[in-house]
Amino acid sequence: MNNLNQHTKPAHAFKFKVRNQTFEWPSQHITGREVLTAAGLVPPENYKLDLKTHGNVYREIKLNDVVDLSEPGIEKFTYISRDQSEG
């Protein structure tokens, strides 16, 4: 008998959150532009994206910055519209 139980799904999908919505990404690396686009925030140039890091510290992610999604836990992003004040 042939075993034809090969999956067409990627071996591992990487997860990340934008605010409280979870997304899956097929590869280990994602750019800021891809995060915003996946979340439906287009055009991405209109948004400022931040990554929540350990200790509740936020780090700005530029559109071409690459984030490694393979770190333990789910990466959490937040954003504001560039026409809003930040404080």
Side-chain angles (χ1 to χ4, degrees):
M1 282 185 153
N2 291 342
N3 185 354
L4 298 177
N5 286 343
Q6 295 178 349
H7 294 74
T8 56
K9 185 178 175 184
H12 185 271
F14 295 90
K15 293 184 179 180
F16 64 95
K17 286 188 172 189
V18 179
R19 299 227 170 136
N20 290 321
Q21 190 171 2
T22 302
F23 298 89
E24 289 191 354
W25 193 251
S27 64
Q28 174 179 343
H29 298 100
I30 190 167
T31 65
R33 180 183 305 278
E34 290 167 330
V35 170
L36 290 166
T37 301
L41 301 167
V42 290
E45 292 80 8
N46 288 355
Y47 298 91
K48 178 182 176 288
L49 184 67
D50 291 306
L51 173 63
K52 183 178 178 184
T53 61
H54 297 291
N56 286 336
V57 175
Y58 289 86
R59 176 171 60 96
E60 183 175 359
I61 304 297
K62 305 280 187 193
L63 292 179
N64 294 322
D65 288 351
V66 176
V67 176
D68 185 346
L69 297 177
S70 70
E71 298 295 320
I74 296 178
E75 281 68 25
K76 295 177 178 82
F77 296 92
T78 188
Y79 63 90
I80 62 168
S81 177
R82 290 221 178 257
D83 63 3
Q84 293 179 355
S85 65
E86 295 184 31

